[in-house]
Amino acid sequence: MPKTWLATVVRSLPTTRLSLAIGGALLAGTTAVAGVTGTAIASPADHGPVHAAEQQPGSLSYGLDISHHEAPYDWNASSAQFGIIKATEGTSFRDSAFAEHWQALAKKGIVRGAYHFGHPGNDPVAEADHFLSVVNSQPAKAGDLLVLDLETTDGRSVAEVNAWAKAWLSYVKAKTGVTPMFYSGWNFADTYGKGLAAYPLWVAHYSKPKGTVTPPADWKSWTIHQYTESPVDQNVSKLTPGQLRSLGRPAA
């Protein structure tokens, strides 16, 4: 999402990916954002330990992720090779711009995906069903990606958050036949993502040049690196567009 002031984030419902401008204030302790009290929220820009780069930027696919905060975004003028759109959050929120962006990406013909912002304070199956109901309300195409965006604990323990993520991811995979992607900031993924290496990793790390992040937790590699949020969330993937599509919905 684009940079916003803390007051704007607190007034808006629901929680969205928080900007670098407010990340420090929110990480200082527990927060109360979008009506969730006592919730630790990790900034996607969390710095991980310094390692040698896994690879140097080379032939990387370029993509964007968008929500209602960028509703007027013109995909026709974009050089993006993939786009991932916020669909849902929690058990009831539907992103107001999802259908518009979803249809625009279909017309453009690039790889597209939908993501759900998870809240471990809720039932993971209820959240997964909500996500799938919204995504399935739009025409699907082979290669559509499905993603869990997990950045908040809702005050739950490491073990509880980890179990919640596993339940959501495995449920969506069982329902769709698609292995969902897991998105988070580097430090959050390193803390809460143990045992999730079977799910492709989309990791945010803003202090690393694009394509030079090392994988956290049990992952041996990353699939997408979100390297900046300015002026919108920008990403690169090691995979070609065709390889990204192979991670999505199977052909009918």
Side-chain angles (χ1 to χ4, degrees):
M1 61 175 287
K3 293 181 179 179
T4 57
W5 297 108
L6 179 58
T8 301
V9 174
V10 172
R11 286 196 303 269
S12 65
L13 287 175
T15 308
T16 56
R17 299 182 187 185
L18 302 178
S19 69
L20 288 171
I22 64 172
L26 293 175
L27 286 171
T30 57
T31 60
V33 178
V36 179
T37 304
T39 299
I41 299 179
S43 166
D46 288 349
H47 298 334
V50 176
H51 296 294
E54 183 178 47
Q55 67 169 45
Q56 293 300 315
S59 181
L60 299 172
S61 299
Y62 172 69
L64 303 173
D65 59 282
I66 298 290
S67 71
H68 64 280
H69 292 278
E70 301 85 24
Y73 187 78
D74 183 4
W75 287 103
N76 288 328
S78 175
S79 62
Q81 297 166 284
F82 63 91
I84 303 178
I85 312 305
K86 182 172 183 177
T88 53
E89 178 172 339
T91 57
S92 60
F93 175 77
R94 299 182 177 210
D95 193 281
S96 60
F98 174 66
E100 174 187 349
H101 287 305
W102 197 245
Q103 294 161 15
L105 286 170
K107 291 178 182 178
K108 188 174 177 65
I110 63 174
V111 182
R112 66 182 182 177
Y115 75 85
H116 172 80
F117 191 103
H119 282 280
N122 297 324
D123 175 26
V125 171
E127 288 211 4
D129 277 335
H130 173 53
F131 171 65
L132 292 176
S133 70
V134 171
V135 173
N136 291 338
S137 71
Q138 298 295 319
K141 297 178 69 174
D144 288 345
L145 304 171
L146 304 177
V147 183
L148 172 62
D149 176 350
L150 193 59
E151 307 172 46
T152 180
T153 68
D154 287 354
R156 301 312 196 258
S157 68
V158 171
E160 288 170 329
V161 173
N162 182 263
W164 191 97
K166 289 175 179 175
W168 192 100
L169 292 162
S170 63
Y171 183 83
V172 169
K173 182 175 181 178
K175 284 287 186 178
T176 64
V178 177
T179 301
M181 194 173 295
F182 178 85
Y183 168 92
S184 195
W186 197 100
N187 278 348
F188 195 95
D190 194 50
T191 301
Y192 298 96
K194 302 295 193 299
L196 300 181
Y199 300 95
L201 175 65
W202 175 12
V203 62
H205 203 320
Y206 295 169
S207 66
K208 293 289 186 180
K210 57 185 177 182
T212 64
V213 65
T214 54
D218 302 333
W219 283 279
K220 302 302 182 186
S221 185
W222 54 269
T223 299
I224 298 176
H225 174 205
Q226 184 183 92
Y227 61 92
T228 185
E229 62 164 9
S230 179
V232 295
D233 290 344
Q234 299 185 66
N235 308 268
V236 290
S237 176
K238 291 180 176 182
L239 304 184
T240 66
Q243 289 170 328
L244 278 174
R245 279 195 175 94
S246 72
L247 301 178
R249 289 187 184 270

